[in-house]
């Protein structure tokens, strides 16, 4: 059975402690909970038991912290999970918080993707997809949101024009602009269409 190897006060919160199982950090608990359940080093304990303690004592605190974290900007489910994990909450508490946030429509990866796409300028689908993956949005939410948009040739041309500003419209430079569009995540056909005729603008 797993053994509590140490219980250490947390530096950033005097009312909480970190519980280590078999030499590894497992979760954070309120000092009140640790005392109430007589937790101490050397004690053998089921992880499920610690999960239940944390859920009952910390679920409302964790939810409040998640809501505060959300108040600045919209977040993906993974970003909220990562935030709570760094605070020392177990997956049981994370699952509770995510369920409540979904219930109140405070988190929605599909809505997050749509909002991100609407704010994006000068990026093609591939780069937007990479950004959303990096932010932890669910694959199906990304795919659904991206399927609802078409790449804007006009926007791509504006990006190419900006790239060429101050440069001679030589064949070489126009080709560099084409490659630049590809690096910005635009598809081959969009980049080709956006750079056609630019060399003739001499």
């Amino acid at each position: 059975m797993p053994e509590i190897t140490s219980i250490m006060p947390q530096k950033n919160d005097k009312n909480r402690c970190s519980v280590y199982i078999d030499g590894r950090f497992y979760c954070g608990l309120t000092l009140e909970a640790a005392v109430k359940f007589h937790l101490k080093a050397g004690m053998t304990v089921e992880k499920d038991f610690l999960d239940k303690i944390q859920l009952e004592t910390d679920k409302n605190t964790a939810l409040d912290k998640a809501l505060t974290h959300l108040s600045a900007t919209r977040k993906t489910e993974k970003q909220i999970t990562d935030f709570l994990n760094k605070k020392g909450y177990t997956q049981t508490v994370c699952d509770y918080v995510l369920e409540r946030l979904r219930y109140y429509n405070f988190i929605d990866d599909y809505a997050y993707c749509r909002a991100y796409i609407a704010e994006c300028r000068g990026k093609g689908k591939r780069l937007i997809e990479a950004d959303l993956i990096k932010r932890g949005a669910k694959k199906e939410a990304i795919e659904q949101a991206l399927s609802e948009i078409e790449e804007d040739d006009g926007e791509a041309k504006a990006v190419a024009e900006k790239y060429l500003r101050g440069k001679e419209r030589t064949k070489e430079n126009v080709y560099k602009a084409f490659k630049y569009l590809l690096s910005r995540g635009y598809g081959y056909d969009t980049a080709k269409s956006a750079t056609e005729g630019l060399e003739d603008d001499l």
Side-chain angles (χ1 to χ4, degrees), residues 134-161:
K134 198 178 297 181
R135 286 164 172 74
K138 293 178 180 176
K139 183 180 178 181
E140 56 270 26
I142 296 173
E143 291 176 349
Q144 184 180 352
L146 287 176
S147 72
E148 297 169 1
I149 64 168
E150 295 292 334
E151 285 190 332
D152 188 341
D153 288 2
E155 181 184 275
K157 186 168 184 177
V159 174
E161 292 275 11

Side-chain angles (χ1 to χ4, degrees), residues 33-117:
V35 171
K36 178 181 177 181
F37 291 94
H38 309 291
L39 302 179
K40 58 184 179 180
M43 178 180 180
T44 56
V45 61
E46 292 288 354
K47 292 181 179 180
D48 287 348
F49 177 65
L50 289 178
D51 290 349
K52 288 176 182 177
I53 292 175
Q54 194 188 57
L55 178 60
E56 290 308 311
T57 59
D58 285 357
K59 60 184 181 182
N60 291 327
T61 303
L63 181 58
D64 287 343
K65 287 185 178 181
L67 287 169
T68 301
H69 190 54
L70 273 168
S71 64
T73 58
R74 188 185 292 270
K75 303 288 191 304
T76 63
E77 287 194 19
K78 186 178 185 304
Q79 286 172 328
I80 291 295
T81 300
D82 290 345
F83 169 76
L84 292 174
N85 284 337
K86 287 179 181 177
K87 294 293 182 182
Y89 294 109
T90 63
Q91 192 57 49
T92 304
V93 173
C94 290
D95 290 343
Y96 168 82
V97 171
L98 290 174
E99 186 275 326
R100 301 313 295 165
L101 293 177
R102 288 191 207 103
Y103 179 80
Y104 291 112
N105 293 318
F106 286 127
I107 53 170
D108 181 337
D109 276 15
Y110 168 65
Y112 178 95
C113 292
R114 289 196 62 183
Y116 183 82
I117 290 169

